Amino acid sequence: MKAHVYVTLKRTVLDAQGQTVSDALRRMEYVGVTDVRQGKYFLLTLEDGMEQAKAQSEVERIAREVLTNPVIEDFTFQLEA
């Protein structure tokens, strides 16, 4: 089983890199993009046979305690069989 974990800055935190990309897209005349937020991506490979509920619990704990700074970052994740 694989866990795809996405970490981004909270909306209340200035995302300078995202803003730079957004400004560049606008200057290059790309249309339709209203906001850019940058972040981090982690791919975790979990033990074979791990129950879905246990995997979800462990990934959430890892993301909260290790992969993010909860003061300035949020996370989402998806499990893939």
Side-chain angles (χ1 to χ4, degrees), residues 51-69:
E51 293 179 13
Q52 183 85 7
K54 178 66 173 171
Q56 186 165 341
S57 173
E58 281 298 291
V59 170
E60 190 167 339
R61 184 172 154 229
I62 291 167
R64 184 179 299 108
E65 296 177 5
V66 179
L67 303 180
T68 63
N69 175 345

Side-chain angles (χ1 to χ4, degrees), residues 33-74:
V33 178
T34 59
D35 188 33
V36 176
R37 303 291 290 180
Q38 66 88 29
K40 301 179 276 188
Y41 167 71
F42 299 91
L43 177 60
L44 306 177
T45 302
L46 308 174
E47 291 178 349
D48 289 336
M50 184 179 268
E51 293 179 13
Q52 183 85 7
K54 178 66 173 171
Q56 186 165 341
S57 173
E58 281 298 291
V59 170
E60 190 167 339
R61 184 172 154 229
I62 291 167
R64 184 179 299 108
E65 296 177 5
V66 179
L67 303 180
T68 63
N69 175 345
V71 174
I72 62 169
E73 295 174 317
D74 288 323

